[in-house]
Amino acid sequence: MLVKIESLSSLDTFNLISTLDVDFASRLSQSLDLCEYSLKLSTYARFVVAYQNETITGLIAFYENRQSGTLYVPYFCTNHQYRRRGVGKTLIETLITYADNLKCAIELEVLKTNHAAIMLYKCNGFDVCSDGANKYRMIRPINSKRNIDSEMAPLVSIACITYNHEPY
């Protein structure tokens, strides 16, 4: 799999979003004009794009705000034929590496019903920072460790107590 961070023309953005719209958890075409949205993304956003041969298997669009030190993700989708194959994980890890190099946090919104995406984000250091009616707003702080580290912390404490035979 090839992953690139790149800019896209409005036509390429429209073609990608139109193709992936059927795979999106909540179809964008039902709530907004894809032509206008594609123009906005191609003008202001950058993209992390995953390719398998010549097929686009996933896409993250993100806005860069270096003044606030934040990357905001308005769009993240993987082609349904490539789900559960590590495409989403590779895309988010690529964006995290990019954000860490810039010393930026990453913010995004996710539908509360999109449990697979929520798990992916939590496993990559994102935390819920606000709870809306049907969406969570999540943030990954600058250079955050993966949440798996914090989940292991109690085990480390128990190991220290056992090893030292006294409270740590």
Side-chain angles (χ1 to χ4, degrees):
M1 175 180 351
L2 174 66
V3 179
K4 294 183 193 178
I5 295 178
E6 55 191 349
S7 297
L8 298 173
S9 71
S10 59
L11 180 60
D12 287 342
T13 303
F14 176 78
N15 288 337
L16 281 172
I17 289 175
S18 298
T19 302
L20 294 173
D21 190 47
V22 296
D23 300 322
F24 206 68
S26 176
R27 293 185 71 167
L28 290 177
S29 59
Q30 294 175 347
S31 61
L32 52 84
D33 181 311
L34 290 184
C35 288
E36 287 179 22
Y37 189 61
S38 298
L39 181 59
K40 179 182 175 184
L41 288 178
S42 66
T43 302
Y44 300 107
R46 299 205 54 212
F47 301 86
V48 182
V49 186
Y51 299 88
Q52 185 69 44
N53 299 320
E54 293 184 21
T55 302
I56 292 177
T57 58
L59 172 73
I60 295 176
F62 66 95
Y63 299 116
E64 229 175 273
N65 187 336
R66 292 193 187 184
Q67 288 179 336
S68 70
T70 304
L71 302 182
Y72 179 74
V73 176
Y75 185 88
F76 185 165
C77 187
T78 57
N79 182 316
H80 74 277
Q81 296 174 349
Y82 293 89
R83 290 197 179 141
R84 304 270 185 230
R85 296 187 189 180
V87 174
K89 179 181 178 197
T90 301
L91 286 167
I92 200 71
E93 287 176 350
T94 301
L95 183 62
I96 287 168
T97 299
Y98 182 80
D100 285 351
N101 287 336
L102 292 176
K103 300 197 181 345
C104 287
I106 304 171
E107 292 185 29
L108 52 80
E109 290 181 345
V110 60
L111 291 173
K112 290 180 177 181
T113 57
N114 195 342
H115 303 291
I118 293 167
M119 183 60 69
L120 173 68
Y121 301 141
K122 285 186 174 187
C123 286
N124 282 283
F126 286 79
D127 294 309
V128 173
C129 62
S130 68
D131 187 345
N134 63 347
K135 295 180 184 178
Y136 292 121
R137 187 163 161 245
M138 299 183 80
I139 187 165
R140 182 185 183 277
I142 299 168
N143 292 316
S144 173
K145 299 277 186 197
R146 300 174 112 196
N147 272 354
I148 200 158
D149 294 339
S150 62
E151 291 172 21
M152 295 295 285
L155 297 177
V156 172
S157 296
I158 291 169
C160 290
I161 292 169
T162 304
Y163 178 76
N164 295 329
H165 302 287
E166 56 188 64
Y168 180 68

